[in-house]
Each structure stands twice: as C-alpha cells, then as structure tokens.
C-alpha cells in the first residue's frame, strides 16, 4: 500500500465491493487493472525516461547495421498506423507500433541435432498470468521439423480456439540450451531488439479486451478457428519507455497479489 499512488488505491477500493459481491467481479477487477495499465494510467510517467520514440530510432539503426552485415534481409516497409486504427490515447512518451516492426514473428532456430531442447505441447502452456510453461526434454533433431520454433525470452500465444480465448500464452524460460519447439498452434514474438519487457507483452496478450478483439478476427470453420498472423504481428501495440514497462509490470504483479487475496477472502465467505 505504501508504494501505491492515491488514485490507484481509490480505484481498487471503489471496486472491492463489486469484486466480492458480483459473480464475475474478480475477473472484471483483473481486466480493469490490465486495461488501465495498457493505457498508461497505472503508474506515473517519469520525464527522465528515454521515450519510446528514441527506442524506435535505435532499432532502425540496428536493422540497417544488420542488413549491411548481411545478417538479415532488408525488411519490407510496414504500413503506417492510421488514426482510425488507434483505439485510445496513450502518454506522449509512448508510441503505437506493430510487433513485426520491433522484433521477429515466428522465427526459426538453427542448432545441432544432437543437443537437448525443450518440447512444449499446448497443455504445457497456461492461461494463468504467473504460471510458467513446462517442457519435455527431446533432442533438437527430433523436433526441429513440423513444429513451431522458439527460444528463451520469446513470447508464444495460442492462436487456435478455445486456447486463444482462454488466454493461453507464455514467456519461454528455462529451456534446455535455451531452445525449444512445440505445438504448431502458436504465434511467436522474438524480442530481437530488446524493445519489450517480456512480461509487459504477456500482460497485453492476456488482457480480455485484446482476446475479445482477436476473437472477432478469427478465420476458419467451427472448432478450427485461428487468429491470423496479421492480427498478432500488425495490430497496433502501445509501446511505453522501457523503464516504465518495468514499473508497470511490477505494479500489475503487486495488484494481482491483492486481487488473489480478495478472491480467497470472497471464497471463504
């Protein structure tokens, strides 16, 4: 409580009764925390933070360097974000970006066949915010074909129904030799330019508002509907300064602990 600003405390207090009394109150409280976090209203902005615009300039310079070295191909220009695509206002130090522009979507790994790697089927990816993925240890040569690739630090999001709607997504960590492969029903973001605090992106992907919007974009027949790569890669994403991302993640974690306590209290009643 000592670390929370007065507005946040008031906001929580205002919704405590609702959370305890309404059947879906706890769920709505969690959604509210994630929503205001992604709008830049959960923690104060610090004028000393390096704005996200500077981060984007550094990424562009790094891309040019990698192209010149022959490490990556010249990226295709992304369509500019139109005003009608922007769902809400964010602080001046933030920028609206496309994930495709600040990292790599659905990357591939290159490794020796005989090294240990982590195999992650869908049941080992969880909807809960603080639950880490688990894995089976397999040789890379056994899993490198026919599966989605990822490595430590990547963010994976389930794209198929009902896993997507349930919020199944994870920040891959602890993989043997740092690499893995798994279910083909994932979209993966590789944070190649360290533009995002992984858990910030994870909170964004688990926000019910993002999931609801994605549900409307799904394609395919009943029972086999999937979120298109374009939604994951190109939907405008609110990018705060890195320092603020860390503060937001810490505040979300703090508040979610309190919401868990409220849930236990309500269940006990």
């Amino acid at each position: 409580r000592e670390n929370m600003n007065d507005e946040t405390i008031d906001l929580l207090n205002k919704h405590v009764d609702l959370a305890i009394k309404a059947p879906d109150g706890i769920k709505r409280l969690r959604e509210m925390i994630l929503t205001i976090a992604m709008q830049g209203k959960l923690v104060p902005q610090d004028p000393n933070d390096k704005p996200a615009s500077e981060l984007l300039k550094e990424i562009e310079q790094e891309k040019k360097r990698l192209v010149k070295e022959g490490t990556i191909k010249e990226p295709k220009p992304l369509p500019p974000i139109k005003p009608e695509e922007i769902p809400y206002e964010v602080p001046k130090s933030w920028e609206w970006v496309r994930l495709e522009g600040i990292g790599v979507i659905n990357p591939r790994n290159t490794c020796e066949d005989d090294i240990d790697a982590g195999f992650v089927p869908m049941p080992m990816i969880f909807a809960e915010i603080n639950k880490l993925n688990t894995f089976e240890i397999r040789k890379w040569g056994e899993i490198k074909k026919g599966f989605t690739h990822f490595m430590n630090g990547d963010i994976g999001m389930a794209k198929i129904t009902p896993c997507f709607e349930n919020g199944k997504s994870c920040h891959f960590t602890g993989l043997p030799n740092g690499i893995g492969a798994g279910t083909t029903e994932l979209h993966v973001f590789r944070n190649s330019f360290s533009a995002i605090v992984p858990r910030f992106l994870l909170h964004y992907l688990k926000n019910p508002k993002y999931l609801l919007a994605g549900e409307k974009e799904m394609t395919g027949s009943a029972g086999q509907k999937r979120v298109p790569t374009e939604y994951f890669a190109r939907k405008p994403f609110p990018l705060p300064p890195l320092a603020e991302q860390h503060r937001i993640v810490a505040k979300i974690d703090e508040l979610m602990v309190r919401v868990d306590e409220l849930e236990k209290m309500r269940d006990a009643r």
Side-chain angles (χ1 to χ4, degrees):
R1 192 184 172 102
E2 306 79 51
N3 300 326
M4 281 200 251
N5 60 42
D6 291 342
E7 283 182 20
T8 306
I9 293 168
D10 289 345
L11 193 65
L12 266 184
N13 288 341
K14 197 188 295 182
H15 290 82
V16 164
D17 279 353
L18 169 73
I20 290 176
K21 291 173 185 173
D24 64 343
I26 294 290
K27 182 183 169 195
R28 282 162 65 183
L29 189 53
R30 288 193 180 106
E31 180 179 339
M32 183 193 73
I33 290 166
L34 293 177
T35 298
I36 63 175
M38 297 305 147
Q39 292 173 351
K41 296 174 182 175
L42 190 62
V43 300
Q45 280 71 51
D46 184 339
N48 297 314
D49 289 346
K50 182 165 70 176
S53 57
E54 290 298 313
L55 191 57
L56 296 182
K57 285 178 192 170
E58 289 170 10
I59 289 171
E60 286 311 306
Q61 287 170 355
E62 179 63 6
K63 281 181 185 175
K64 283 176 185 172
R65 186 184 72 77
L66 293 171
V67 168
K68 198 173 177 182
E69 282 180 358
T71 308
I72 63 169
K73 291 178 183 174
E74 180 81 46
K76 290 179 184 174
L78 290 171
I81 294 173
K82 297 173 185 171
E84 59 267 28
E85 287 184 88
I86 296 172
Y88 50 82
E89 281 188 26
V90 292
K92 287 181 180 176
S93 56
W94 293 34
E95 291 289 334
W96 285 101
V97 300
R98 302 190 195 279
L99 287 180
E100 191 177 347
I102 59 169
V104 178
I105 305 297
N106 299 331
R108 302 296 288 172
N109 299 334
T110 308
C111 312
E112 297 297 324
D113 284 358
D114 61 348
I115 69 167
D116 286 341
F119 181 71
V120 185
M122 189 65 82
M124 292 185 176
I125 295 170
F126 304 102
E128 294 87 346
I129 285 175
N130 291 316
K131 202 164 180 183
L132 298 175
N133 64 281
T134 52
F135 55 83
E136 301 165 5
I137 297 176
R138 303 261 192 98
K139 293 298 178 189
W140 178 247
E142 296 170 22
I143 59 174
K144 69 177 184 180
K145 290 183 180 173
F147 294 107
T148 303
H149 289 195
F150 37 79
M151 60 168 44
N152 281 347
D154 290 354
I155 298 287
M157 180 193 83
K159 63 184 177 183
I160 193 166
T161 192
C163 302
F164 170 74
E165 298 95 311
N166 292 341
K168 278 196 166 213
S169 49
C170 69
H171 170 214
F172 289 105
T173 56
L175 298 167
N177 294 301
I179 64 157
T183 170
T184 56
E185 300 296 353
L186 283 183
H187 288 313
V188 175
F189 173 81
R190 181 159 293 171
N191 197 18
S192 304
F193 305 102
S194 303
I196 297 182
V197 174
R199 281 178 58 75
F200 180 81
L201 176 55
L202 199 58
H203 287 311
Y204 173 80
L205 297 177
K206 288 185 186 288
N207 187 341
K209 288 189 186 303
Y210 176 83
L211 299 174
L212 197 61
E215 205 177 326
K216 293 172 185 169
E217 300 290 328
M218 292 178 109
T219 57
S221 55
Q224 289 292 310
K225 288 193 167 187
R226 292 176 176 86
V227 176
T229 305
E230 189 158 310
Y231 178 79
F232 179 70
R234 296 197 170 183
K235 179 179 169 62
F237 170 78
L239 183 70
L242 267 174
E244 188 173 346
Q245 290 182 48
H246 282 289
R247 294 198 300 275
I248 291 169
V249 169
K251 182 60 72 179
I252 289 174
D253 288 345
E254 179 190 342
L255 292 176
M256 289 300 181
V257 167
R258 291 169 186 270
V259 174
D260 290 345
E261 289 167 1
L262 269 180
E263 189 170 34
K264 284 175 189 168
M265 196 167 73
R266 188 193 67 175
D267 292 347
R269 285 187 178 187

